[in-house]
Amino acid sequence: MFNLGNFLSLSTFGESHGPAYGGIITNFPAGFKVDLDEVQHQLDRRKPGQSAIVTQRKESDTVKFLSGIFEGQSTGTPIGFLIENENQKSRDYDHIAKAYRPSHADFTYDQKFGIRDYRGGGKSSARETVNWVVAGSLAKQLLPEDVEIKAYVSSVGEIFCEKPYQDLDFSRIDSNDVRCPDAETAEKMISKIKEIKKEGNTIGGTITCVIKNLPIGVGEPVFGKLQAELAKAMLNINACKGFEYGSGFCGAKMTGKDHNDLFNEDFTTKTNLSGGIQGGISNGMDIYFRVAFKPVATILRPQESFDTQGNAVTVEGKGRHDPCVLPRAVPIVENLAAFVLADLFLINKLRKYDM
């Protein structure tokens, strides 16, 4: 398996119904005082069972650090960590041991490896993201203190948060179950998810992420462009179907005259359709991007499919599943973005020699 990151690097292990998840972070600088309570806080934001609109699997998601941290400081050696699985119900998956679920990784994993762990999808399970949250919440602490990374649910199905991010109070993101800072829109989103859940169905949507106060110069000129590294990280999230930053696809409808961000005297820009990135490098303006998520593939309704021998079968989801991934994906987006930024920030430290 490949790692996340270029200099700051994360490798992971674990399956949804195995004994534990975990990872190893390399090249984390030595002598850095780490806030382990903040790491656990971010895991708590991601964990299942938080509300009626997410899966009811009960996991404490308590992280244990095995190496690389001594007396609250990083030692410069690889940071190893472990998160035990506590509430697996593998029998919920016995019925698909020989059948392929539509839009899941069952078929592709079987064809690639010749074997698959059908319990919760094995390595393809979104529970893998616990590792990413640990790594990202540690990595964020390497960034300057004033760097702010905030993500929120900006749409569920056809329900959109119409307010621009500049008009939203990010302190209210965690004030409701769906993690949309606009209370009126959040109420509509929650009602829609509950309605879909009663039908045994699922629904998708988008998450918007805003990064403020990132220093100018982060990102590499060619193959390590900031937007490309962010996109790569986000598109690795389970159920992610799209990424756009700045003007995104709307920019394709514009002319250069309307799209160009003109400079102010202090080299900020009058507009920010570039999304805070030019030439793959941060320019000091807000970085903002949007991530699209499909509906969860497991639905609690019968669907036609085929088994491993090519025989027609009917499959139906059982057990505990998210009707919508968005609320729990918010901390995943934030912490993955933090890991990408910290990785490129450390690389950038090598680009200029300061006497």
Side-chain angles (χ1 to χ4, degrees):
M1 299 296 179
F2 295 103
N3 297 334
L4 173 67
N6 299 282
F7 177 72
L8 186 67
S9 179
L10 170 69
S11 58
T12 68
F13 62 87
E15 286 87 31
S16 179
H17 287 240
Y21 275 96
I24 299 175
I25 304 168
T26 56
N27 292 326
F28 196 97
F32 193 87
K33 187 175 181 179
V34 294
D35 184 349
L36 299 183
D37 290 337
E38 174 60 18
V39 176
Q40 188 59 56
H41 171 64
Q42 293 300 323
L43 281 170
D44 290 344
R45 294 179 71 215
R46 192 222 72 97
K47 72 180 181 181
Q50 297 180 53
S51 71
I53 61 171
V54 301
T55 173
Q56 295 306 296
R57 178 170 173 168
K58 301 297 182 183
E59 297 281 356
S60 68
D61 282 353
T62 302
V63 61
K64 300 177 183 178
F65 287 96
L66 309 177
S67 64
I69 298 175
F70 178 67
E71 295 183 342
Q73 294 188 71
S74 57
T75 64
T77 60
I79 297 175
F81 62 88
L82 188 76
I83 301 162
E84 294 181 355
N85 293 328
E86 302 166 340
N87 192 223
Q88 310 96 313
K89 291 186 177 180
S90 299
R91 287 176 296 179
D92 288 344
Y93 297 89
D94 288 348
H95 66 295
I96 52 97
K98 300 293 184 182
Y100 296 134
R101 296 168 294 175
S103 287
H104 273 277
D106 298 343
F107 173 73
T108 52
Y109 265 58
D110 217 359
Q111 296 302 302
K112 180 176 180 65
F113 297 108
I115 185 173
R116 68 181 174 97
D117 182 350
Y118 59 85
R119 304 165 304 165
K123 192 60 174 175
S124 69
S125 170
R127 184 152 172 72
E128 157 72 21
T129 59
V130 293
N131 294 324
W132 309 349
V133 171
V134 171
S137 55
L138 279 176
K140 186 178 188 300
Q141 298 176 40
L142 297 172
L143 295 170
E145 288 187 9
D146 62 341
V147 174
E148 182 180 344
I149 305 170
K150 296 294 182 182
Y152 63 93
V153 174
S154 48
S155 72
V156 171
E158 296 295 327
I159 302 169
F160 286 82
C161 180
E162 302 290 352
K163 293 181 180 178
Y165 77 80
Q166 295 90 338
D167 294 340
L168 296 173
D169 180 358
F170 288 162
S171 70
R172 298 193 57 78
I173 289 173
D174 286 340
S175 68
N176 56 70
D177 291 342
V178 78
R179 291 199 166 104
C180 174
D182 182 62
E184 183 178 348
T185 306
E187 187 175 335
K188 295 176 184 178
M189 290 174 171
I190 292 169
S191 295
K192 184 63 176 180
I193 294 172
K194 288 181 177 179
E195 175 190 330
I196 289 291
K197 182 180 178 182
K198 285 181 181 178
E199 297 172 358
N201 209 346
T202 60
I203 194 167
T206 61
I207 289 175
T208 295
C209 185
V210 181
I211 301 163
K212 294 177 174 290
N213 303 318
L214 187 70
I216 298 171
V218 175
E220 295 301 294
V222 184
F223 293 119
K225 287 183 171 66
L226 177 52
Q227 74 271 21
E229 294 297 305
L230 286 169
K232 179 182 177 181
M234 298 304 144
L235 289 167
N236 275 308
I237 302 175
N238 311 60
C240 178
K241 299 294 286 185
F243 174 92
E244 64 176 0
Y245 75 102
S247 62
F249 285 93
C250 290
K253 304 175 184 177
M254 302 173 71
T255 66
K257 175 180 176 297
D258 296 326
H259 192 274
N260 286 346
D261 296 319
L262 303 182
F263 285 108
N264 296 309
E265 289 184 359
D266 62 355
F267 297 109
T268 60
T269 56
K270 299 180 186 299
T271 55
N272 188 22
L273 295 172
S274 298
I277 305 171
Q278 290 168 335
I281 299 169
S282 61
N283 68 0
M285 300 295 288
D286 290 351
I287 295 167
Y288 60 97
F289 61 85
R290 193 163 62 134
V291 187
F293 290 86
K294 71 173 184 176
V296 176
T298 298
I299 62 174
L300 306 183
R301 304 170 67 159
Q303 298 180 94
E304 295 179 357
S305 190
F306 292 89
D307 64 18
T308 57
Q309 303 301 312
N311 302 309
V313 295
T314 299
V315 296
E316 182 174 355
K318 297 180 181 180
R320 306 156 298 175
H321 303 278
D322 287 288
C324 179
V325 301
L326 298 168
R328 294 175 60 219
V330 164
I332 299 169
V333 169
E334 286 181 0
N335 286 288
L336 264 185
F339 193 93
V340 169
L341 296 179
D343 178 34
L344 294 175
F345 180 77
L346 291 176
I347 292 172
N348 201 49
K349 290 288 187 181
L350 304 175
R351 290 292 182 228
K352 292 174 69 176
Y353 180 74
D354 293 323
M355 294 294 289

